[in-house]
Amino acid sequence: MAVDATQPYDDQNVFAKILRGEIPNRTVYEDDFALAFHDINPQAPTHVLVIPKGAYVCWDDFSAKASEAEIAGFVRAVGKVARDLGLVAPGYRLLANTGTDSHQEVPHLHVHLFAGQPLGPMLVR
Ligand code: 5GP
């Protein structure tokens, strides 16, 4: 079911469980601010999710409430993951679904990083 982006944080969401080590993941990168891991149902040859370690429902929540250090740390982590995976020259796409119209499913902020093939139009027409 799609997430209401204005709801309070639910610490039983699947990415909270991944952060606590209760559910396994295929980690690509981790630091004090972020965890990056492969999506369980990849939509491109490379499909990595990058999440902040803090408890934020979505981009709106994070951009409004996260500290400067958390925001800088998260943004730098996303860039580092793309660089470390060798995606900058061939190119990649970032996507952050927020709320019901975007079909956000997991109520913990995550950025999708897609790459590995020409990615087509930005939105279904
Ligand atoms: P959203 O629609 O919220 O932007 O995307 C949620 C993403 O999380 C989906 O691409 C889905 O495949 C992925 N996902 C859901 N549950 C799990 C899980 O347990 N492990 C991993 N690695 N990815 C998950």
mmCIF file of all heavy atoms in Angstrom, residues 3 14-15 18 23-26 37-43 47 49 95-97 102-107 110 112, ligand 1:
data_model
loop_
_atom_site.group_PDB
_atom_site.id
_atom_site.type_symbol
_atom_site.label_atom_id
_atom_site.label_comp_id
_atom_site.label_asym_id
_atom_site.label_seq_id
_atom_site.Cartn_x
_atom_site.Cartn_y
_atom_site.Cartn_z
ATOM 1 N N VAL A 3 2.444 4.853 0.734
ATOM 2 C CA VAL A 3 2.694 5.554 1.990
ATOM 3 C C VAL A 3 2.063 6.947 1.967
ATOM 4 O O VAL A 3 2.180 7.673 0.985
ATOM 5 C CB VAL A 3 4.220 5.706 2.176
ATOM 6 C CG1 VAL A 3 4.566 6.683 3.269
ATOM 7 C CG2 VAL A 3 4.856 4.346 2.416
ATOM 8 N N VAL A 14 10.246 -2.058 6.872
ATOM 9 C CA VAL A 14 11.261 -3.044 6.476
ATOM 10 C C VAL A 14 12.674 -2.455 6.460
ATOM 11 O O VAL A 14 13.644 -3.161 6.797
ATOM 12 C CB VAL A 14 10.869 -3.689 5.117
ATOM 13 C CG1 VAL A 14 10.957 -2.696 3.976
ATOM 14 C CG2 VAL A 14 11.695 -4.916 4.837
ATOM 15 N N PHE A 15 12.808 -1.185 6.133
ATOM 16 C CA PHE A 15 14.164 -0.621 6.102
ATOM 17 C C PHE A 15 14.670 -0.331 7.519
ATOM 18 O O PHE A 15 15.880 -0.413 7.770
ATOM 19 C CB PHE A 15 14.222 0.619 5.216
ATOM 20 C CG PHE A 15 13.993 0.327 3.747
ATOM 21 C CD1 PHE A 15 13.772 1.360 2.847
ATOM 22 C CD2 PHE A 15 14.002 -0.967 3.265
ATOM 23 C CE1 PHE A 15 13.553 1.092 1.493
ATOM 24 C CE2 PHE A 15 13.784 -1.252 1.921
ATOM 25 C CZ PHE A 15 13.559 -0.216 1.032
ATOM 26 N N ILE A 18 16.037 -3.583 8.432
ATOM 27 C CA ILE A 18 17.348 -3.788 7.789
ATOM 28 C C ILE A 18 18.419 -3.022 8.568
ATOM 29 O O ILE A 18 19.502 -3.558 8.850
ATOM 30 C CB ILE A 18 17.286 -3.379 6.305
ATOM 31 C CG1 ILE A 18 16.559 -4.474 5.506
ATOM 32 C CG2 ILE A 18 18.685 -3.100 5.739
ATOM 33 C CD1 ILE A 18 16.336 -4.165 4.042
ATOM 34 N N ILE A 23 16.716 -8.002 9.262
ATOM 35 C CA ILE A 23 16.463 -8.562 7.933
ATOM 36 C C ILE A 23 17.774 -8.432 7.158
ATOM 37 O O ILE A 23 18.414 -7.374 7.215
ATOM 38 C CB ILE A 23 15.335 -7.786 7.208
ATOM 39 C CG1 ILE A 23 14.009 -8.006 7.914
ATOM 40 C CG2 ILE A 23 15.243 -8.173 5.737
ATOM 41 C CD1 ILE A 23 12.862 -7.242 7.297
ATOM 42 N N PRO A 24 18.190 -9.500 6.447
ATOM 43 C CA PRO A 24 19.456 -9.408 5.705
ATOM 44 C C PRO A 24 19.345 -8.475 4.496
ATOM 45 O O PRO A 24 18.243 -8.207 4.004
ATOM 46 C CB PRO A 24 19.706 -10.853 5.257
ATOM 47 C CG PRO A 24 18.385 -11.527 5.302
ATOM 48 C CD PRO A 24 17.553 -10.822 6.333
ATOM 49 N N ASN A 25 20.480 -7.983 4.066
ATOM 50 C CA ASN A 25 20.518 -7.171 2.840
ATOM 51 C C ASN A 25 21.867 -7.385 2.175
ATOM 52 O O ASN A 25 22.821 -7.847 2.811
ATOM 53 C CB ASN A 25 20.303 -5.691 3.166
ATOM 54 C CG ASN A 25 21.515 -5.076 3.814
ATOM 55 O OD1 ASN A 25 22.393 -4.532 3.145
ATOM 56 N ND2 ASN A 25 21.606 -5.185 5.143
ATOM 57 N N ARG A 26 21.945 -7.035 0.901
ATOM 58 C CA ARG A 26 23.219 -7.097 0.162
ATOM 59 C C ARG A 26 23.804 -5.692 0.166
ATOM 60 O O ARG A 26 23.496 -4.871 -0.684
ATOM 61 C CB ARG A 26 22.977 -7.620 -1.249
ATOM 62 C CG ARG A 26 22.604 -9.100 -1.277
ATOM 63 C CD ARG A 26 22.162 -9.541 -2.658
ATOM 64 N NE ARG A 26 23.174 -9.265 -3.653
ATOM 65 C CZ ARG A 26 22.904 -8.865 -4.897
ATOM 66 N NH1 ARG A 26 21.653 -8.701 -5.296
ATOM 67 N NH2 ARG A 26 23.884 -8.632 -5.755
ATOM 68 N N PHE A 37 22.224 -0.604 -0.371
ATOM 69 C CA PHE A 37 22.087 -2.055 -0.584
ATOM 70 C C PHE A 37 21.282 -2.302 -1.853
ATOM 71 O O PHE A 37 20.548 -1.438 -2.321
ATOM 72 C CB PHE A 37 21.411 -2.715 0.633
ATOM 73 C CG PHE A 37 20.113 -2.099 1.053
ATOM 74 C CD1 PHE A 37 18.904 -2.555 0.563
ATOM 75 C CD2 PHE A 37 20.094 -1.032 1.945
ATOM 76 C CE1 PHE A 37 17.695 -1.985 0.953
ATOM 77 C CE2 PHE A 37 18.898 -0.450 2.345
ATOM 78 C CZ PHE A 37 17.689 -0.930 1.844
ATOM 79 N N HIS A 38 21.438 -3.509 -2.401
ATOM 80 C CA HIS A 38 20.733 -3.856 -3.629
ATOM 81 C C HIS A 38 19.233 -4.023 -3.370
ATOM 82 O O HIS A 38 18.834 -4.652 -2.374
ATOM 83 C CB HIS A 38 21.292 -5.155 -4.219
ATOM 84 C CG HIS A 38 22.681 -5.010 -4.764
ATOM 85 N ND1 HIS A 38 22.939 -4.430 -5.986
ATOM 86 C CD2 HIS A 38 23.884 -5.330 -4.234
ATOM 87 C CE1 HIS A 38 24.245 -4.419 -6.198
ATOM 88 N NE2 HIS A 38 24.849 -4.949 -5.149
ATOM 89 N N ASP A 39 18.435 -3.495 -4.296
ATOM 90 C CA ASP A 39 16.982 -3.678 -4.218
ATOM 91 C C ASP A 39 16.649 -5.163 -4.405
ATOM 92 O O ASP A 39 17.251 -5.855 -5.223
ATOM 93 C CB ASP A 39 16.289 -2.845 -5.300
ATOM 94 C CG ASP A 39 14.797 -2.691 -5.038
ATOM 95 O OD1 ASP A 39 14.056 -3.702 -5.179
ATOM 96 O OD2 ASP A 39 14.372 -1.587 -4.672
ATOM 97 N N ILE A 40 15.677 -5.645 -3.644
ATOM 98 C CA ILE A 40 15.305 -7.063 -3.683
ATOM 99 C C ILE A 40 14.601 -7.426 -4.995
ATOM 100 O O ILE A 40 14.570 -8.593 -5.387
ATOM 101 C CB ILE A 40 14.407 -7.405 -2.461
ATOM 102 C CG1 ILE A 40 14.461 -8.871 -2.132
ATOM 103 C CG2 ILE A 40 12.980 -6.905 -2.669
ATOM 104 C CD1 ILE A 40 13.826 -9.221 -0.779
ATOM 105 N N ASN A 41 14.069 -6.435 -5.692
ATOM 106 C CA ASN A 41 13.331 -6.664 -6.941
ATOM 107 C C ASN A 41 13.821 -5.659 -7.987
ATOM 108 O O ASN A 41 13.127 -4.706 -8.315
ATOM 109 C CB ASN A 41 11.827 -6.492 -6.669
ATOM 110 C CG ASN A 41 10.981 -6.752 -7.891
ATOM 111 O OD1 ASN A 41 11.399 -7.480 -8.799
ATOM 112 N ND2 ASN A 41 9.813 -6.148 -7.952
ATOM 113 N N PRO A 42 15.049 -5.884 -8.528
ATOM 114 C CA PRO A 42 15.689 -4.850 -9.343
ATOM 115 C C PRO A 42 14.919 -4.513 -10.620
ATOM 116 O O PRO A 42 14.424 -5.401 -11.302
ATOM 117 C CB PRO A 42 17.063 -5.456 -9.661
ATOM 118 C CG PRO A 42 16.963 -6.901 -9.349
ATOM 119 C CD PRO A 42 15.884 -7.066 -8.333
ATOM 120 N N GLN A 43 14.871 -3.217 -10.904
ATOM 121 C CA GLN A 43 14.183 -2.711 -12.099
ATOM 122 C C GLN A 43 15.164 -2.304 -13.196
ATOM 123 O O GLN A 43 14.754 -1.807 -14.245
ATOM 124 C CB GLN A 43 13.329 -1.491 -11.724
ATOM 125 C CG GLN A 43 12.356 -1.727 -10.587
ATOM 126 C CD GLN A 43 11.250 -2.697 -10.959
ATOM 127 O OE1 GLN A 43 10.661 -2.588 -12.033
ATOM 128 N NE2 GLN A 43 10.975 -3.654 -10.087
ATOM 129 N N HIS A 47 20.390 -1.648 -9.482
ATOM 130 C CA HIS A 47 19.292 -0.994 -8.759
ATOM 131 C C HIS A 47 19.649 -1.050 -7.275
ATOM 132 O O HIS A 47 19.468 -2.073 -6.613
ATOM 133 C CB HIS A 47 17.958 -1.683 -9.034
ATOM 134 C CG HIS A 47 16.779 -0.998 -8.400
ATOM 135 N ND1 HIS A 47 15.478 -1.410 -8.621
ATOM 136 C CD2 HIS A 47 16.686 0.059 -7.557
ATOM 137 C CE1 HIS A 47 14.653 -0.638 -7.935
ATOM 138 N NE2 HIS A 47 15.363 0.253 -7.270
ATOM 139 N N LEU A 49 19.481 0.882 -3.450
ATOM 140 C CA LEU A 49 18.750 1.810 -2.584
ATOM 141 C C LEU A 49 19.733 2.419 -1.597
ATOM 142 O O LEU A 49 20.570 1.699 -1.035
ATOM 143 C CB LEU A 49 17.653 1.072 -1.811
ATOM 144 C CG LEU A 49 16.609 0.354 -2.664
ATOM 145 C CD1 LEU A 49 15.708 -0.515 -1.778
ATOM 146 C CD2 LEU A 49 15.772 1.345 -3.455
ATOM 147 N N LEU A 95 16.005 8.492 -7.926
ATOM 148 C CA LEU A 95 14.558 8.681 -7.804
ATOM 149 C C LEU A 95 14.173 8.500 -6.346
ATOM 150 O O LEU A 95 14.615 7.557 -5.694
ATOM 151 C CB LEU A 95 13.862 7.641 -8.692
ATOM 152 C CG LEU A 95 12.350 7.685 -8.809
ATOM 153 C CD1 LEU A 95 11.939 7.195 -10.195
ATOM 154 C CD2 LEU A 95 11.698 6.806 -7.764
ATOM 155 N N ALA A 96 13.388 9.419 -5.840
ATOM 156 C CA ALA A 96 12.897 9.306 -4.467
ATOM 157 C C ALA A 96 11.379 9.473 -4.487
ATOM 158 O O ALA A 96 10.884 10.594 -4.655
ATOM 159 C CB ALA A 96 13.538 10.351 -3.563
ATOM 160 N N ASN A 97 10.665 8.377 -4.361
ATOM 161 C CA ASN A 97 9.205 8.458 -4.307
ATOM 162 C C ASN A 97 8.774 9.034 -2.964
ATOM 163 O O ASN A 97 9.327 8.668 -1.917
ATOM 164 C CB ASN A 97 8.594 7.067 -4.502
ATOM 165 C CG ASN A 97 8.791 6.543 -5.908
ATOM 166 O OD1 ASN A 97 8.626 7.277 -6.873
ATOM 167 N ND2 ASN A 97 9.145 5.277 -6.030
ATOM 168 N N SER A 102 3.179 8.975 -5.906
ATOM 169 C CA SER A 102 4.443 8.415 -6.413
ATOM 170 C C SER A 102 4.534 6.907 -6.184
ATOM 171 O O SER A 102 5.481 6.277 -6.625
ATOM 172 C CB SER A 102 5.623 9.086 -5.716
ATOM 173 O OG SER A 102 5.735 8.584 -4.395
ATOM 174 N N HIS A 103 3.565 6.351 -5.437
ATOM 175 C CA HIS A 103 3.570 4.926 -5.063
ATOM 176 C C HIS A 103 4.739 4.569 -4.149
ATOM 177 O O HIS A 103 5.309 3.480 -4.268
ATOM 178 C CB HIS A 103 3.551 4.011 -6.293
ATOM 179 C CG HIS A 103 2.353 4.206 -7.159
ATOM 180 N ND1 HIS A 103 1.094 3.787 -6.803
ATOM 181 C CD2 HIS A 103 2.221 4.800 -8.355
ATOM 182 C CE1 HIS A 103 0.238 4.114 -7.741
ATOM 183 N NE2 HIS A 103 0.893 4.738 -8.699
ATOM 184 N N GLN A 104 5.119 5.485 -3.257
ATOM 185 C CA GLN A 104 6.098 5.113 -2.229
ATOM 186 C C GLN A 104 5.529 3.948 -1.426
ATOM 187 O O GLN A 104 4.383 4.002 -0.964
ATOM 188 C CB GLN A 104 6.383 6.301 -1.292
ATOM 189 C CG GLN A 104 7.418 5.973 -0.232
ATOM 190 C CD GLN A 104 7.682 7.111 0.759
ATOM 191 O OE1 GLN A 104 7.104 8.186 0.636
ATOM 192 N NE2 GLN A 104 8.528 6.863 1.726
ATOM 193 N N GLU A 105 6.340 2.884 -1.271
ATOM 194 C CA GLU A 105 5.856 1.690 -0.566
ATOM 195 C C GLU A 105 6.442 1.546 0.828
ATOM 196 O O GLU A 105 5.785 0.996 1.714
ATOM 197 C CB GLU A 105 6.218 0.430 -1.367
ATOM 198 C CG GLU A 105 5.419 0.262 -2.646
ATOM 199 C CD GLU A 105 5.918 -0.924 -3.457
ATOM 200 O OE1 GLU A 105 6.755 -1.695 -2.952
ATOM 201 O OE2 GLU A 105 5.478 -1.053 -4.602
ATOM 202 N N VAL A 106 7.698 1.961 0.982
ATOM 203 C CA VAL A 106 8.368 1.762 2.271
ATOM 204 C C VAL A 106 8.507 3.121 2.960
ATOM 205 O O VAL A 106 9.105 4.043 2.397
ATOM 206 C CB VAL A 106 9.749 1.109 2.082
ATOM 207 C CG1 VAL A 106 10.452 0.945 3.423
ATOM 208 C CG2 VAL A 106 9.617 -0.240 1.378
ATOM 209 N N PRO A 107 7.976 3.256 4.181
ATOM 210 C CA PRO A 107 7.948 4.568 4.842
ATOM 211 C C PRO A 107 9.234 4.905 5.598
ATOM 212 O O PRO A 107 9.191 5.298 6.770
ATOM 213 C CB PRO A 107 6.737 4.457 5.776
ATOM 214 C CG PRO A 107 6.689 3.017 6.150
ATOM 215 C CD PRO A 107 7.167 2.255 4.929
ATOM 216 N N HIS A 110 14.211 6.593 1.031
ATOM 217 C CA HIS A 110 15.201 5.866 0.229
ATOM 218 C C HIS A 110 15.301 6.517 -1.132
ATOM 219 O O HIS A 110 14.305 6.963 -1.696
ATOM 220 C CB HIS A 110 14.845 4.382 0.084
ATOM 221 C CG HIS A 110 13.416 4.127 -0.304
ATOM 222 N ND1 HIS A 110 12.374 4.251 0.586
ATOM 223 C CD2 HIS A 110 12.860 3.777 -1.483
ATOM 224 C CE1 HIS A 110 11.234 3.962 -0.025
ATOM 225 N NE2 HIS A 110 11.496 3.694 -1.295
ATOM 226 N N HIS A 112 16.382 5.617 -4.949
ATOM 227 C CA HIS A 112 16.707 4.546 -5.892
ATOM 228 C C HIS A 112 17.819 5.033 -6.801
ATOM 229 O O HIS A 112 17.762 6.155 -7.311
ATOM 230 C CB HIS A 112 15.499 4.219 -6.781
ATOM 231 C CG HIS A 112 14.302 3.693 -6.069
ATOM 232 N ND1 HIS A 112 13.941 2.368 -6.059
ATOM 233 C CD2 HIS A 112 13.340 4.336 -5.346
ATOM 234 C CE1 HIS A 112 12.824 2.211 -5.372
ATOM 235 N NE2 HIS A 112 12.434 3.384 -4.922
HETATM 236 P P1 5GP B 1 9.281 2.620 -3.178
HETATM 237 O O1 5GP B 1 8.137 2.195 -4.042
HETATM 238 O O2 5GP B 1 8.898 2.769 -1.734
HETATM 239 O O3 5GP B 1 9.980 3.834 -3.728
HETATM 240 O O4 5GP B 1 10.365 1.458 -3.302
HETATM 241 C C1 5GP B 1 10.537 0.462 -2.338
HETATM 242 C C2 5GP B 1 11.605 -0.491 -2.867
HETATM 243 O O5 5GP B 1 12.030 -1.305 -1.816
HETATM 244 C C3 5GP B 1 11.104 -1.405 -3.983
HETATM 245 O O6 5GP B 1 11.920 -1.234 -5.149
HETATM 246 C C4 5GP B 1 11.251 -2.809 -3.386
HETATM 247 O O7 5GP B 1 11.659 -3.785 -4.319
HETATM 248 C C5 5GP B 1 12.298 -2.590 -2.299
HETATM 249 N N1 5GP B 1 12.184 -3.498 -1.167
HETATM 250 C C6 5GP B 1 11.057 -3.787 -0.453
HETATM 251 N N2 5GP B 1 11.332 -4.647 0.534
HETATM 252 C C7 5GP B 1 12.675 -4.901 0.455
HETATM 253 C C8 5GP B 1 13.560 -5.721 1.229
HETATM 254 O O8 5GP B 1 13.176 -6.402 2.182
HETATM 255 N N3 5GP B 1 14.868 -5.725 0.861
HETATM 256 C C9 5GP B 1 15.339 -4.975 -0.194
HETATM 257 N N4 5GP B 1 16.641 -5.053 -0.472
HETATM 258 N N5 5GP B 1 14.520 -4.195 -0.943
HETATM 259 C C10 5GP B 1 13.207 -4.162 -0.613
#
